[in-house]
Amino acid sequence: MEQGSRGRRLAAAALVIAGVLALYRPLLWGRALMVRDLSLWVVPSRWLLRESLRHGAPPAWNPWEGIGFPVAADPLITAFYPPAVVTLALPLAWGTSLLLVAHVLLGALGSYALARRLGALPFAAAVGGLAWGLAGLVGSEIPAGARLFPAAWIPLACLAAHHLGAAARASRPWLLPALALGACGAMMILTGEVFVTLMGAIPIAALLAVGAVEPVEGEASASPRAAVGRVALGVGAAAVLALLASAPSWLPAVTLVASTPRGHAYDASALNLWSLHPLQLVDLVGPRATLDAAIRTGHPSLMRLIGRDIFYATVYAGASVVALAVVSLRRRGALAARVAVGVAVLGALMALGGYTPVLGVMRAALRPFAYMRSPMKFLLVAQPMIALAAALGADRVLRERVGLARLAGFAAALAVVAAASWVCVERAVAVPMVTGCVGGALRVGVLALAVAAVKRWGARAAVALPLVVALDLGAVSETILTWEPPSRSAGEPALAAVVRREATTSQRGPAPPRMFRSERVTEVVPGQVLRDPTLRNRETLRPKHNVPAGIGVLNGYDAAMPDAVDRLARSGRVAALRLLSTDLALITGDRAPPGTHAVGAPVAGTHLYAVDDPLPRAFVAHAASEDVPARLSHLLDEEVLIGARVVLAARDLPRVPSRAPTPRSPCAITRWAPGDVTLRCDARLPGIAVLVEQHAPGWSATVDGRAAEVVAVNRVALGVPVREGAHEVRLTYATPALGAGVALGALGLLAGVAAGLWGLRRRLTREEGGA
C-alpha cells in the first residue's frame, strides 16, 4: 500500500483535529472548563499575575495567601511559559480553556506526526493522534491543568529524538534535530511541572534509541562508535539549550526550594498516596469500571481502591486502542512497537506506586523522583506510547490485512479477567469490573468489524479504524468534562465585601484584609443552598479564589507555602491568628471561639468571626527573646501577641537592646504593593520595625534611604532594626537568581537561533551540492 497521497495526509490530519474539536466543542460557543484545579488553582493563578501587574509590581510576591510567599518558588504558576500569555489578554476562564484545548491539539498532532515519522500510513497515524487527544487520561488531566502542558510536548519531543538518533546513525547533520529536541525540552521545563518533564525523558530516550538502532532500508549507517558519539553530542546540545532557555523558570525555583515543603524528599510510605490500585488496571481497557463506579456511587469498597482522594476521573486508554497496540507486536520488524509497548508497561508499573518495587527502584536511581508523591502521574509516560503502538498496529492492519486473530485473543483475555474478578473479588468491586470488561469486549468487537472491512475493501475502508477509536474514547471522555459560562465566575462574592467592611484599616492600612478560612467550609452539607462545589469554593473565598477579590487568606493552596505559617494556621489557636495579624476567621461552628466575636454568616453553613486584638500589620518592638525551633508555645506568649516583645534567632538577638518588655511603637503602612511596602515608624526607643509578611530569601530594606538588614521575627515575619526616632522603612522583594535566569534564557535563545540558522544553511548547502 502506498505511503499516502497528499490528500490522504491532509484528510487524516484534519480527522485528528476534527475529533478533538468535536469533544471540546462547547469552547467554540464561549463556554469554559471549570472543574477541580482549574477552578481551585489554574485560573486563580492567572489572576495572581494580573493583580500583580495591576499594582505596578512584577509577579514576584503573592501577598494574598498565608502571609505571602515567593511566586517563583512554585514555577507551576507558568509566569515564563510563552503560550500562557494569551490568558492575560482574554477572559481568564475561557482563555485558560482555550490554552488547554490548544495543548490537547498539540499532543494529538504530535502523536500523529510521530507515527508518520515511524512509517505509519496516514489513517493509521490518525489512530495515534486520536488515541492521545481523546484518551480518558488526557481528559482527566484537564482539571489539573499544569500537568497537561508538558505532557502535550512529549510526542513532539519523541519525534525530535527519533530524528536525532536516525541522523546520528546515518551520518547526517544532527544539529537541527538536536535543537528541536532542546526547544521541546525548554518548553516542558518552562511549564513548571518538573516531574512530568522528568517522566517525559523516559519515552524520549526510548525513541532516541529506536532512531539510533533501527536501520532504514537503502540508507548507509555509521559505525556504532561514531553513532554513539554523535548521539551524545546531540543530546548534550539539546540539554544545554533546554536548560539555558528555561533558566528564568527553574533557576529561581531551585534557589528558593529549600524554604518550601518541596525542599524535603517524601518518605517511601508516601508512594501509597494516589497510587494506581492493581485492580484499576482494568480501567485502562474497561469503560465505566472501578474508578468511574467509585466516583458515581461512592461505595466504600470502591472508594478504598482510590485512596485518600480522587486523582483522575478516568484512566481509560481505550479497549480498541490497546487491542491495536497488541496487534502491533509481531516477530520481526517491530522494534518501535515493542519499545513503545515496553515503555507503556513500565509507566503503568511505576503508576502502581507502592504496590510494586519498580517505583522504589526508580526513586533510588533518580533522586528527583523521591520528591514526588503522586505515582499515578506515571501514566503520562504510558499514554503517548500506547497511542504510538496503536498507530503501528493500525498500520499493520492496513498493510498486511491481518489482526482479527489477535483481536479475538484480546477479547478472550478480557473475558478471563471478567470471570476471575467475579470469582475472586468482592461483589461490589466485581460488578463494575465485569461491566468494564464486557464494554471493552464490545468495543473490540466493533474494531474487528472495521478490520474485516479493511480486509475486504482495503484502503477505501482505512478511515474506519480512526473512527472506531474516536467513538470508543470520545464516549467516555465526553462524560468527564464539565463546562460552564465564563460569566459564572464574574462578580464579587458577598463575603469579600463583608471582610473588607469588618477588617479594621487602622491595623493594616492599605494592605489587604487577612482572613483565616477553615478547610471544613468546603464540605457541602445536605440541604445547603450552595450545592455546586465550584460555586461554593468561590463564595467562601477558597485560597486563590480570594486573589481577584483582594482578600488575604490563611491557609494557602500552593506547594510553595512555607511550613511554619502552615503549622501555625492549622494549630487551630486564636493566638496563632493574632500572631499572624489575622482580622477575621470563617469557620463552620456557630459558637464564637474565645478571643473572637461574631460579625455575621454571609455564606450558608458558615460563620464569620472577628479576631480580638490581632497584631498590627506593622509596629516597632523594643524587646526580644531567643527562638526555640522545637517549641511553638513561646511564639504565642501574650507579650509577643501584643508586640511588646519579639522572638528572634540567637544570631539576631543583638539587633535589639536587652531590656524588659516595652509597649510597642506605632508604624503606619503608607504605601503598599505586592512585594513593595513602605512604613512610617515612630520609634520611642531603638528596636525592630516589624511587618507581618512572610520572611523569605529575596527581601531587602532601606531605613531613611539607607540599606538595612532584614531579619526573621517571630519565626515568620519581617524585621528591620531601627534607631530611636521617626523613620521611613521600605521593604522590597526581588526574586533571587531571576536576573541570572533571564540572562541565561536570553543567551540560550540567541544561541539556539544562531545555531539553527547555521545548521539550516549547512543543510541547504549540502542539498545543493548533492543536486
Side-chain angles (χ1 to χ4, degrees), residues 133-509:
L134 304 183
L137 178 67
V138 172
S140 288
E141 281 293 354
I142 289 280
R147 289 196 300 268
L148 180 63
F149 296 152
W153 287 97
I154 292 176
L156 280 178
C158 289
L159 174 64
H162 188 272
H163 268 285
L164 175 59
R169 184 201 67 245
S171 296
R172 296 197 308 268
W174 51 263
L175 182 59
L176 289 179
L179 293 176
L181 178 59
C184 290
M187 295 298 282
M188 293 173 70
I189 297 171
L190 286 169
T191 64
E193 233 302 350
V194 61
F195 298 117
V196 175
T197 300
L198 288 172
M199 292 174 202
I202 298 173
I204 291 168
L207 267 296
L208 176 70
V210 169
V213 171
E214 192 170 40
V216 176
E217 186 176 352
E219 187 175 67
S221 296
S223 66
R225 183 174 181 179
V228 170
R230 292 161 68 84
V231 166
L233 285 173
V235 170
V240 169
L241 174 63
L243 290 173
L244 285 177
S246 61
S249 177
W250 66 261
L251 188 58
V254 168
T255 304
L256 292 164
V257 71
S259 64
T260 74
R262 287 285 174 89
H264 311 285
Y266 287 104
D267 186 79
S269 61
L271 293 180
N272 294 322
L273 294 175
W274 295 304
S275 290
L276 186 72
H277 192 281
L279 293 180
Q280 289 175 346
L281 290 173
V282 174
D283 289 72
L284 294 172
V285 293
R288 305 187 74 83
T290 59
L291 268 173
D292 181 271
I295 295 169
R296 283 185 294 110
T297 67
H299 194 284
S301 297
L302 290 165
M303 294 302 294
R304 282 197 293 270
L305 304 183
I306 292 177
R308 195 180 74 178
D309 199 1
I310 298 170
F311 197 76
Y312 287 130
T314 180
V315 296
Y316 184 57
S320 60
V321 172
V322 177
L324 285 172
V326 172
V327 172
S328 72
L329 299 175
R330 53 183 178 180
R331 292 185 178 180
R332 297 180 183 177
L335 176 61
R338 292 179 186 276
V339 168
V341 172
V343 173
V345 171
L346 175 63
L349 289 174
M350 289 190 292
L352 292 172
Y355 293 106
T356 75
V358 176
L359 185 54
V361 173
M362 184 68 70
R363 280 165 53 97
L366 298 173
R367 185 62 179 168
F369 285 131
Y371 293 80
M372 189 190 77
R373 63 176 182 176
S374 307
M376 286 184 75
K377 288 183 184 179
F378 280 101
L379 288 176
L380 293 172
V381 172
Q383 186 59 50
M385 296 294 97
I386 293 173
L388 175 59
L392 296 178
D395 185 68
R396 187 183 178 206
V397 169
L398 294 176
R399 290 181 186 277
E400 303 177 20
R401 313 284 180 87
V402 298
L404 285 175
R406 292 220 171 191
L407 294 181
F410 186 76
L414 289 177
V416 170
V417 172
S421 62
W422 190 261
V423 173
C424 302
V425 181
E426 62 177 297
R427 194 65 69 231
V429 179
V431 169
M433 289 182 66
V434 171
T435 302
C437 289
V438 171
L442 292 174
R443 284 163 165 78
V444 174
V446 175
L447 176 63
L449 294 176
V451 171
V454 169
K455 291 188 69 173
R456 181 176 178 85
W457 291 296
R460 289 174 294 175
V463 72
L465 297 179
L467 287 178
V468 168
V469 168
L471 293 173
D472 179 6
L473 291 171
V476 174
S477 295
E478 177 84 31
T479 64
I480 65 173
L481 299 174
T482 302
W483 300 85
E484 67 176 42
S487 59
R488 182 100 177 275
S489 58
E492 182 180 79
L495 177 60
V498 176
V499 169
R500 273 194 294 272
R501 184 182 70 239
E502 297 294 337
T504 57
T505 57
S506 61
Q507 297 285 342
R508 59 181 175 83

Side-chain angles (χ1 to χ4, degrees), residues 505 508-511 618 667-673 676-681 691 727-731:
T505 57
R508 59 181 175 83
C667 278
I669 299 177
T670 58
R671 181 182 179 276
W672 183 90
D676 189 354
V677 182
T678 301
L679 314 177
R680 185 67 183 175
C681 300
L691 176 66
H727 302 283
E728 182 180 81
V729 180
R730 185 179 183 187
L731 288 137

